[in-house]
Amino acid sequence: MAFIRNFYILLFLLHFILVSSNTGSPYPNRRRYPYHDCLQGRSLVEDKAALLAFKKSVLVDPKSTLANWEDGVHVCNFTGVTCNEQHHRVTQIDLSSSGLVGKISPSLSNLTALQLINLYENHFFSSIPPQLSSLPCLQTLVLNQNDLNGPVPDSFALLTSLIVFAVMENNLTGPLPPSFFSNCTQLKVIDLSFNYIIGRIPMEIGNCPSLWTLNLYNNQFIGQLPASLTNTTLYNLDVENNHLSGELPSDLVSKLLNLMFLHLSYNNMRSHGNNTDLYPFFATLGNCTGLTELELAGMGLGGKLPSSIGHPSLKRLELQENLIIGSIPPEIRNLSNITMLNLTSNFLNGTIPEELSLLLMLE
Ligand SMILES: *[C@@H]1O[C@H](CO)[C@@H](O)[C@H](O)[C@H]1NC(C)=O
Ligand SMILES: *[C@@H]1O[C@H](CO)[C@@H](O)[C@H](O)[C@H]1NC(C)=O
Ligand SMILES: *[C@@H]1O[C@H](CO)[C@@H](O)[C@H](O)[C@H]1NC(C)=O
Ligand SMILES: *[C@@H]1O[C@H](CO)[C@@H](O)[C@H](O)[C@H]1NC(C)=O
Ligand SMILES: *[C@@H]1O[C@H](CO)[C@@H](O)[C@H](O)[C@H]1NC(C)=O
Ligand SMILES: *[C@@H]1O[C@H](CO)[C@@H](O)[C@H](O)[C@H]1NC(C)=O
Ligand SMILES: *[C@@H]1O[C@H](CO)[C@@H](O)[C@H](O)[C@H]1NC(C)=O
Ligand SMILES: *[C@@H]1O[C@H](CO)[C@@H](O)[C@H](O)[C@H]1NC(C)=O
Ligand SMILES: *[C@@H]1O[C@H](CO)[C@@H](O)[C@H](O)[C@H]1NC(C)=O
Ligand SMILES: *[C@@H]1O[C@H](CO)[C@@H](O)[C@H](O)[C@H]1NC(C)=O
Ligand SMILES: *[C@@H]1O[C@H](CO)[C@@H](O)[C@H](O)[C@H]1NC(C)=O
């Protein structure tokens, strides 16, 4: 969960990458659906009608963000609205941190040239309108920190251009539909953390080769991490605080060599050899040369600390609340970049090794 603070930095970086790629060429080759087609067929007049209908479903607007969303104002001058360069379609809606209360009107689905919807930090309630699936050029959908409930709509399989899907901190329920991953070649970021999602992580997630951040922490997921995740290019995997089971995923990390953040704490996983052996997992991690944060707390993991614990790129290592026995090995000295090391609540014995004094970054 330490990743929360990094996520927004990443999201904003990604946002700038997307925005700058849009202003560059009108037809960037990474899009599956030709953007040209999204600009056709409807007009700015219809976009304006759809936005005014959206405004009608907002019950409270404490900062008067939508005050200039009126007939007499040019739609490209509406607060939070961005048009394309030729000003003939609306391409982005960013109403983040506006304190808006209301339902998300399905009328947004008429804004067929939309690439970005950001409603982060408002009080939109009720369910996510499945009609948004008719936005074939939508790349970024950010609904973090609202009061949305109900499931992730099945129909979102149609969002073939989607790159960022972030719905963190809502009250979403139900399982994640496997079909969500049937058209996800562009998808890079998924954030479903702090919701009430149940069921397994669908193995179909292996259809998303570009996926580099997967945040599912604080949900009710069960089962094992799907082996198909080896098909992705994950750099952040955070599934803390769920009900996942199975052995520590050695096979997975042996393929995910780009991993920087691996957060598995507070699940029901065990170490190898019927929860007696931490060596194989840590040995495999040795090949993840950029690994920065490893969190394996509160899982009842058994075994001794292996010498390969001294992973030199680690800044954060959380192994508290487990069943780890034996002594702290001298190779701990190899944690030369470590700032946070938590071994609290285990069954360690022996002396505290002198080598700890060599960890100069330790806070
Ligand atoms: C959305 O577009 C349809 C036509 O495709 C139109 O009938 C409807 O009134 C529009 N809705 C809004 C809210 O603009
Ligand atoms: C948007 O507002 C600015 C400043 O009020 C004005 O100069 C400009 O003409 C408006 N744009 C359109 C398209 O109406
Ligand atoms: C969301 O769930 C929490 C915890 O169950 C509850 O306190 C809150 O009222 C719910 N919010 C909405 C808008 O349903
Ligand atoms: C994937 O997208 C294509 C093209 O939009 C669509 O025809 C297909 O039905 C989608 N897949 C699913 C499972 O919805
Ligand atoms: C991995 O990706 C390939 C295509 O790149 C696909 O054919 C295969 O089904 C995927 N495997 C899994 C387990 O998802
Ligand atoms: C694993 O350990 C548990 C508890 O110590 C024991 O009951 C079980 O028989 C062991 N299983 C195997 C396959 O060794
Ligand atoms: C690490 O990578 C090397 C080279 O690809 C490979 O030979 C070795 O088996 C890997 N080690 C582990 C523990 O996966
Ligand atoms: C230690 O941290 C520094 C600064 O973040 C980084 O440049 C260096 O590569 C890290 N060392 C290793 C072994 O990863
Ligand atoms: C780890 O530490 C041992 C001695 O404690 C040293 O011989 C070894 O080279 C170190 N490994 C790395 C990768 O720094
Ligand atoms: C280390 O873990 C213990 C047990 O979970 C926790 O109480 C403590 O706050 C942690 N220390 C730090 C610095 O996070
Ligand atoms: C630590 O505990 C192990 C058993 O878990 C025991 O074999 C060993 O002698 C103990 N070492 C010390 C220094 O107490």
Side-chain angles (χ1 to χ4, degrees):
M1 260 183 296
F3 194 69
I4 294 176
R5 61 171 182 266
N6 301 324
F7 176 69
Y8 289 101
I9 299 168
L10 291 176
L11 194 59
F12 284 117
L13 272 178
L14 195 65
H15 177 78
F16 285 116
I17 292 166
L18 295 176
V19 169
S20 52
S21 75
N22 291 346
T23 50
S25 148
Y27 312 113
N29 55 17
R30 72 164 102 160
R31 247 178 236 119
R32 265 183 74 194
Y33 197 90
Y35 191 52
H36 180 75
D37 290 359
C38 288
L39 292 171
Q40 305 303 311
R42 285 177 188 262
S43 69
L44 207 50
V45 174
E46 288 165 294
D47 285 355
K48 187 172 190 171
L51 287 174
L52 292 175
F54 172 86
K55 180 181 177 177
K56 280 211 185 89
S57 67
V58 172
L59 307 173
V60 182
D61 178 6
K63 300 179 183 173
S64 302
T65 309
L66 306 181
N68 69 358
W69 287 37
E70 288 189 323
D71 273 325
V73 177
H74 193 281
V75 60
C76 298
N77 268 349
F78 281 15
T79 301
V81 170
T82 305
C83 295
N84 65 333
E85 272 174 47
Q86 297 75 27
H87 279 215
H88 62 260
R89 291 304 302 277
V90 168
T91 59
Q92 300 189 11
I93 302 175
D94 185 346
L95 296 170
S96 51
S97 306
S98 300
L100 302 173
V101 181
K103 290 188 184 182
I104 300 176
S105 168
S107 71
L108 287 186
S109 62
N110 274 10
L111 294 149
T112 51
L114 271 184
Q115 293 178 301
L116 178 144
I117 299 175
N118 183 1
L119 302 178
Y120 162 71
E121 212 178 28
N122 283 288
H123 298 286
F124 285 104
F125 58 84
S126 192
S127 51
I128 303 175
Q131 292 90 337
L132 296 185
S133 63
S134 55
L135 297 174
C137 290
L138 191 66
Q139 296 180 329
T140 305
L141 181 58
V142 178
L143 304 174
N144 290 349
Q145 288 180 252
N146 279 282
D147 303 322
L148 297 165
N149 58 31
V152 173
D154 278 329
S155 60
F156 277 14
L158 296 168
L159 292 172
T160 54
S161 302
L162 205 59
I163 298 174
V164 176
F165 181 67
V167 293
M168 170 189 184
E169 282 188 59
N170 279 285
N171 279 7
L172 301 179
T173 52
L176 195 50
S179 61
F180 181 78
F181 301 107
S182 43
N183 273 320
C184 62
T185 55
Q186 311 292 305
L187 200 57
K188 291 187 189 338
V189 175
I190 300 176
D191 193 339
L192 296 169
S193 35
F194 282 107
N195 279 289
Y196 300 90
I197 314 269
I198 59 168
R200 292 170 179 274
I201 303 170
M203 63 151 185
E204 286 78 1
I205 201 167
N207 293 330
C208 320
S210 315
L211 193 64
W212 56 267
T213 189
L214 179 60
N215 281 342
L216 302 178
Y217 53 87
N218 289 62
N219 277 288
Q220 311 285 331
F221 284 105
I222 58 163
Q224 303 194 13
L225 284 170
S228 61
L229 282 172
T230 53
N231 253 5
T232 67
T233 43
L234 280 181
Y235 136 102
N236 164 59
L237 174 60
D238 191 335
V239 294
E240 287 189 11
N241 267 313
N242 279 285
H243 309 294
L244 297 172
S245 54
E247 268 183 4
L248 289 175
S250 295
D251 293 344
L252 201 54
V253 301
S254 71
K255 302 272 169 40
L256 297 175
L257 300 178
N258 297 326
L259 273 179
M260 276 184 82
F261 305 97
L262 180 59
H263 295 189
L264 306 177
S265 296
Y266 305 104
N267 278 290
N268 305 321
M269 294 180 197
R270 41 182 214 284
S271 66
H272 290 70
N274 201 13
N275 209 27
T276 60
D277 191 0
L278 286 168
Y279 284 73
F281 184 64
F282 277 88
T284 315
L285 280 177
N287 275 352
C288 301
T289 50
L291 190 67
T292 306
E293 297 185 4
L294 177 61
E295 302 190 2
L296 302 173
M299 293 204 278
L301 292 176
K304 292 182 176 174
L305 292 177
S307 53
S308 51
I309 193 179
H311 196 302
S313 61
L314 278 179
K315 288 183 159 52
R316 211 180 158 85
L317 177 55
E318 298 199 13
L319 290 170
Q320 70 269 24
E321 298 174 59
N322 281 304
L323 304 171
I324 300 172
I325 57 168
S327 58
I328 302 176
E331 288 82 3
I332 198 96
R333 79 165 66 163
N334 290 2
L335 286 171
S336 48
N337 263 359
I338 201 88
T339 58
M340 207 297 230
L341 173 64
N342 200 338
L343 301 172
T344 305
S345 295
N346 278 290
F347 296 95
L348 298 170
N349 65 5
T351 52
I352 295 178
E354 253 178 72
E355 284 79 3
L356 271 179
S357 67
L358 300 172
L359 305 182
L360 302 178
M361 308 298 283
L362 202 57
E363 288 166 14

